[in-house]
Amino acid sequence: AQKITQTQPGMFVQEKEAVTLDCTYDTSDPSYGLFWYKQPSSGEMIFLIYQGSYDQQNATEGRYSLNFQKARKSANLVISASQLGDSAMYFCAHGNQFYFGTGTSLTVIP
Amino acid sequence: GAVVSQHPSRVICKSGTSVKIECRSLDFQATTMFWYRQFPKKSLMLMATSNEGSKATYEQGVEKDKFLINHASLTLSTLTVTSAQPEDSSFYICSAKFFSRAYEQYFGPGTRLTVT
């Protein structure tokens, strides 16, 4: 069974600081993908970053980077230089069907 | 990026009526579409996976007769909530993906259903 765990229901970060959002997963698939999405209060799901299980390097997309530790089955999202607009729910997802974690609510403090 | 639309964005209906939600991929052909349900401040729960021209695959615990999914073309999937009840009130989100870019999935803006 696929399972995604996000242990931080809520996080606070000072503007311009970096923050790490945790995600662990459980899978028996030999090859898989991991995703992070942002969901602002409007409800839309915004794709942030993707990591393939066989990718040699950690994925980066602008201020977003993914700290992928395959042996630990973790795929933590790092947001650098936080901005007020980063305040939102963040979801980690896994697999072809995109099973989502429970999400982390991030609040950026001015 | 690819665009997925949903219609309507909001709907209020009375108990016992049926509501149809459309999900369209506007600029690409979606071989697979997914339907999710999200309760307030909760995660997205996958309801079903829909492949064009075949029956949808429902997740465990999702009533097939309650939530009818039709994927008639490569750009359109519909979710019909039959005999809607107040407990069906929720945020429904669809997503679509390419066959050739299987790791990318594009989400619609969601539909808020309120059953009175």
Side-chain angles (χ1 to χ4, degrees):
Chain A
Q2 317 280 6
K3 186 178 179 181
I4 293 279
T5 303
Q6 293 180 253
T7 58
Q8 305 155 315
M11 288 283 286
F12 292 86
V13 63
Q14 203 74 38
E15 193 178 6
K16 300 181 183 178
E17 297 290 314
V19 63
T20 298
L21 307 183
D22 295 342
C23 173
T24 58
Y25 59 92
D26 186 17
T27 182
S28 55
D29 292 344
S31 178
Y32 50 89
L34 295 154
F35 308 78
W36 277 92
Y37 282 83
K38 173 184 177 181
Q39 187 181 40
S41 57
S42 60
E44 61 183 311
M45 296 293 286
I46 302 169
F47 169 76
L48 296 179
I49 197 166
Y50 164 82
Q51 178 82 47
S53 61
Y54 283 101
D55 291 344
Q56 295 296 316
Q57 293 184 328
N58 287 344
T60 60
E61 288 285 349
R63 294 187 297 112
Y64 305 108
S65 61
L66 205 150
N67 183 1
F68 181 47
Q69 299 188 45
K70 192 173 181 178
R72 290 187 171 185
K73 292 189 175 179
S74 75
N76 298 338
L77 176 71
V78 180
I79 306 175
S80 61
S82 297
Q83 301 172 356
L84 296 178
D86 293 334
S87 295
M89 284 291 292
Y90 288 81
F91 292 98
C92 179
H94 163 281
N96 290 327
Q97 289 91 348
F98 279 54
Y99 293 104
F100 283 83
T102 50
T104 296
S105 175
L106 176 66
T107 302
V108 180
I109 304 168
Chain B
V3 178
V4 175
S5 70
Q6 270 184 252
H7 178 79
S9 57
R10 289 180 177 270
V11 57
I12 301 172
C13 69
K14 292 185 177 180
S15 294
T17 60
S18 294
V19 175
K20 180 184 284 188
I21 302 170
E22 292 186 349
C23 176
R24 292 181 184 274
S25 57
L26 298 183
D27 53 357
F28 68 101
Q29 292 185 326
T31 49
T32 304
M33 288 184 169
F34 304 92
W35 285 96
Y36 297 85
R37 181 174 181 176
Q38 185 179 30
F39 292 102
K41 300 185 186 291
K42 298 292 185 182
S43 185
L44 280 73
M45 181 191 77
L46 179 65
M47 298 175 67
T49 302
S50 169
N51 292 299
E52 185 266 339
S54 61
K55 289 184 178 181
T57 302
Y58 289 81
E59 294 296 304
Q60 192 172 10
V62 178
E63 299 176 59
K64 300 178 184 180
D65 296 331
K66 175 74 169 174
F67 299 100
L68 300 179
I69 291 172
N70 183 280
H71 193 160
S73 75
L74 286 172
T75 59
L76 174 65
S77 177
T78 59
L79 167 68
T80 302
V81 183
T82 62
S83 186
Q85 300 300 315
E87 56 266 30
D88 298 327
S89 298
S90 193
F91 192 55
Y92 293 87
I93 305 176
C94 73
S95 68
K97 69 178 187 181
F98 295 113
F99 173 74
S100 59
R101 301 173 73 176
Y103 68 84
E104 291 190 25
Q105 191 169 121
Y106 299 94
F107 285 83
T111 296
R112 183 149 320 270
L113 170 64
T114 303
V115 184
T116 60

